[in-house]
């Protein structure tokens, strides 16, 4: 009998298999059978890798499930959505009470909540597992965010922790996040933060490339110089490599079509924020920037309608990186605020410092900033309310606004950076303009309003045209 089963041998599934086998676990591997295109995938994969010598391959569900020792521990790596429900339906007749079924894909957290309840009725422990790190991370050590059944996690903790990345103290970057859909929710927000981190780097690149007229190699050099500072991050590291890549004598980056794709998690993050009433404009701006990039034809037409002459301009690159520094802080503040709000609403009891800890290695958004936040969040869940953060934001505030203004006057789009500036202004503005909104709402819809001089919570309505 094998001790652990894995379903779905795509890129991530294959890497996780090799990771698990490398830790000495005996595996059963299943991949669907599709004539011509997907035949003997599992057995073929096993034959290619010596580390899988003790693994068994299947393309039929019943013998695959029967090969895994009780209580079964089965990890699914299939596309989110109907494919997960279809796989559960195929597995259920063959599973037993006490088995653990895990979904390691990017499933929508509400689907995971529903599946937890469905499987609980059959006595099966269901878990939604957020896995971050890409192909390399899955092979060498990802960050793992487990949610769902606590009892299920106790049965699989050994396996998940063994394959996870290690933090600076050599503890596994793996943790039980909370019941129900908590694991997939925080992975979703992780991806939302990731969207904004990527967009912010693209905006810094845009300023340097289109305003300063620097070459990709010169920008790579500037980015590389920041790897020795507290701006160091995985995404910054890979962007240096991206910018240095050539095809012959030409920069590869200049040959890549400027239309950014997405797989849905950024949109889910925005919808979740709306449902919870949490402002995440920087995360949302990154998503909308991708949507706008898709309008290549319209952008090409509009560029001719609104011609722009850009002459090279000098900027202080230290000020640019300081602006980038502040924008990243605000991005992370919004992400953790959203997770905190969801934890309170759904009674997940998410430990934010522990979540930040498992995001310090293995995952796509690992960075020196995350290492710092791990400690700060112990004191206060609000990132922007820590004294060290306050000092840093205040010190670099003029650079922050100056760079957004520079980009704006030169017609270089910096939607994430600009949204972060306006978020900071709104966050630190004691008297907002919302009283105007409330008066307008009461005027046309009798929606009522509260008064500053009445602390009882009484709602007022004014007949605005009767005086």
């Amino acid at each position: 009998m094998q001790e652990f089963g894995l379903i779905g041998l795509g890129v991530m599934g294959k890497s996780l298999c090799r990771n698990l086998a490398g830790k000495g676990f005996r595996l059963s591997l299943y991949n669907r059978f599709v004539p011509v295109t997907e035949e003997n995938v599992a057995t073929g994969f096993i034959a290619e890798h010596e580390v899988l010598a003790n693994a068994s391959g299947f393309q039929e569900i019943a013998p695959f499930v029967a090969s895994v020792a009780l209580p079964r521990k089965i990890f699914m790596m299939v596309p989110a959505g109907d494919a997960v429900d279809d796989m559960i339906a195929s597995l259920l007749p063959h599973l037993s009470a006490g088995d653990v079924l895990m979904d390691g894909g990017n499933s929508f957290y509400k689907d995971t909540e529903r599946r937890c309840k469905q499987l609980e009725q059959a006595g099966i422990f269901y878990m939604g597992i957020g896995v971050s790190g890409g192909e390399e991370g899955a092979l060498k050590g990802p960050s793992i965010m487990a949610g769902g059944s606590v009892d299920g996690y106790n049965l699989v903790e050994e396996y998940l922790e063994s394959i996870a990345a290690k933090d600076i103290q050599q503890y596994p970057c793996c943790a039980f996040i909370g019941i129900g859909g908590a694991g997939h929710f925080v992975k979703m927000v992780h991806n939302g933060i990731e969207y904004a981190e990527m967009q912010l780097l693209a905006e810094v690149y845009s300023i340097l490339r289109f305003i300063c007229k620097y070459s990709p190699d010169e920008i790579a050099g500037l980015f590389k110089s920041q790897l020795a500072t507290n701006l160091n991050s995985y995404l910054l590291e890979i962007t240096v490599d991206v910018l240095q890549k050539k095809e012959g004598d030409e920069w590869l980056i200049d040959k890549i079509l400027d239309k950014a794709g997405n797989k849905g998690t950024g949109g889910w993050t925005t919808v979740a924020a709306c449902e919870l009433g949490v402002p995440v404009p920087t995360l949302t701006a990154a998503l909308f920037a991708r949507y706008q990039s898709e309008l290549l034809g319209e952008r090409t037409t509009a560029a001719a309608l609104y011609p722009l002459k850009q002459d090279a301009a000098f900027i202080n690159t230290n000020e640019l990186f300081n602006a980038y520094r502040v924008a990243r802080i605000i991005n992370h503040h919004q992400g953790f605020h959203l997770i905190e709000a969801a934890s309170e609403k759904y009674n997940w009891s998410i430990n934010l410092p522990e979540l930040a800890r498992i995001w310090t290695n293995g995952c796509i958004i690992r960075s020196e900033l995350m290492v710092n936040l791990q400690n700060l969040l112990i004191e206060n869940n609000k990132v922007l309310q820590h004294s060290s953060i306050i000092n840093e934001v205040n010190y670099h505030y003029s650079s922050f606004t100056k760079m957004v203004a520079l980009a704006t006057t030169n017609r270089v789009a910096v939607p994430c950076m600009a949204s972060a500036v306006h978020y900071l202004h709104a966050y630190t503005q004691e008297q907002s303009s919302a009283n105007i909104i409330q008066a307008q709402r009461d005027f046309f819809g009798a929606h009522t309003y509260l008064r500053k001089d009445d602390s009882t919570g009484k709602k007022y309505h004014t007949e605005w045209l009767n005086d």
Side-chain angles (χ1 to χ4, degrees), residues 169-357:
Q169 302 293 333
Q170 293 305 300
Y171 292 114
C173 291
C174 171
F176 182 78
I177 301 301
I179 61 173
H184 276 146
F185 186 92
V186 299
K187 176 54 167 57
M188 175 190 76
V189 179
H190 166 288
N191 287 15
I193 295 171
E194 175 187 308
Y195 272 44
E197 289 290 279
M198 296 171 71
Q199 178 64 29
L200 285 169
L201 276 168
E203 291 174 11
V204 174
Y205 164 83
S206 292
I207 291 172
L208 293 171
R209 190 76 195 273
F210 304 130
I211 298 178
C212 300
K213 310 299 183 184
Y214 288 175
S215 70
D217 195 49
E218 289 173 318
I219 298 172
L222 288 169
F223 281 4
K224 190 172 184 179
S225 71
Q226 299 303 310
L227 296 177
T229 74
N230 63 3
L231 285 179
N232 184 30
S233 71
Y234 169 74
L235 285 169
L236 183 61
E237 290 175 9
I238 68 169
T239 306
V240 171
D241 293 334
V242 163
L243 292 172
Q244 291 178 325
K245 187 70 172 179
K246 281 190 169 184
E247 279 192 352
D249 294 329
E250 298 180 289
W251 306 107
L252 177 58
I253 193 65
D254 289 338
K255 295 187 175 185
I256 297 176
L257 189 67
D258 55 323
K259 293 174 65 174
N262 75 92
K263 291 189 174 180
T265 49
W268 293 347
T269 303
T270 296
V271 171
C274 291
E275 290 176 345
L276 292 165
V278 177
V280 291
T282 305
L283 282 69
T284 300
L287 172 68
F288 287 172
R290 294 195 185 191
Y291 290 164
Q292 198 156 16
S293 76
E294 288 284 332
L295 305 175
L296 180 57
E298 279 191 58
R299 289 192 289 114
T300 301
T301 300
L305 297 174
Y306 299 92
L308 169 66
K309 183 178 184 297
Q310 284 181 323
D311 296 320
F314 170 79
I315 68 165
N316 184 319
T317 55
N318 287 331
E319 289 187 318
L320 176 58
F321 286 116
N322 287 334
Y324 169 63
R325 175 178 283 106
V326 176
R328 293 187 65 228
I329 290 170
I330 292 169
N331 176 34
H332 284 72
H333 170 91
Q334 293 174 19
F336 279 107
H337 183 192
L338 179 55
I339 293 169
E340 179 187 26
S343 180
E344 291 177 358
K345 179 176 177 61
Y346 300 120
N347 297 312
W348 285 335
S349 300
I350 296 175
N351 184 330
L352 293 186
E354 177 67 356
L355 178 60
R357 183 192 69 78

Side-chain angles (χ1 to χ4, degrees), residues 143-146 153 157 161 164-165 167 169 171-178 186 336 339 349-361 363 370-381:
S143 174
I144 300 177
M145 300 141 259
Y153 184 71
E157 181 178 10
E161 289 192 352
D167 69 12
Q169 302 293 333
Y171 292 114
C173 291
C174 171
F176 182 78
I177 301 301
V186 299
F336 279 107
I339 293 169
S349 300
I350 296 175
N351 184 330
L352 293 186
E354 177 67 356
L355 178 60
R357 183 192 69 78
I358 68 171
W359 282 350
T360 60
N361 199 13
C363 71
M370 193 65 74
V371 173
N372 188 32
L373 293 180
Q374 171 192 344
N375 298 317
L376 294 182
L377 289 168
I378 295 172
E379 304 170 11
N380 187 338
N381 288 339

Side-chain angles (χ1 to χ4, degrees), residues 38-103:
E38 293 185 72
E39 296 183 5
N40 300 312
V41 173
T43 53
F45 174 56
I46 290 169
E48 293 172 0
H49 298 279
E50 185 178 347
V51 72
L52 297 171
N54 294 321
S56 302
F58 300 87
Q59 55 186 8
E60 294 181 8
I61 286 289
F64 162 74
V65 175
S67 73
V68 183
L70 293 171
R72 300 181 184 91
K73 305 162 188 71
I74 296 176
F75 199 103
M76 299 183 293
M77 287 300 293
V78 298
D82 292 342
V84 178
D85 289 316
D86 292 344
M87 182 55 64
I88 291 172
S90 298
L91 287 166
L92 262 177
H94 308 288
L95 297 176
S96 306
D99 289 348
V100 185
L101 183 59
M102 296 161 277
D103 172 14

Side-chain angles (χ1 to χ4, degrees), residues 109-172:
Y109 73 100
K110 289 185 178 180
D111 288 341
T112 303
E113 292 267 343
R114 167 177 56 81
R115 291 163 185 154
C116 283
K117 294 174 183 176
Q118 173 194 352
L119 274 293
E120 184 179 17
Q121 294 176 353
I124 295 165
F125 302 128
Y126 189 78
M127 304 194 68
I129 311 290
V131 181
S132 177
E135 179 181 5
E136 182 180 12
L139 177 62
K140 298 180 180 179
S143 174
I144 300 177
M145 300 141 259
S149 166
V150 178
D151 292 332
Y153 184 71
N154 291 335
L155 291 171
V156 299
E157 181 178 10
E158 171 191 4
Y159 301 91
L160 299 182
E161 289 192 352
S162 71
I163 63 171
K166 301 297 187 291
D167 69 12
I168 195 170
Q169 302 293 333
Q170 293 305 300
Y171 292 114

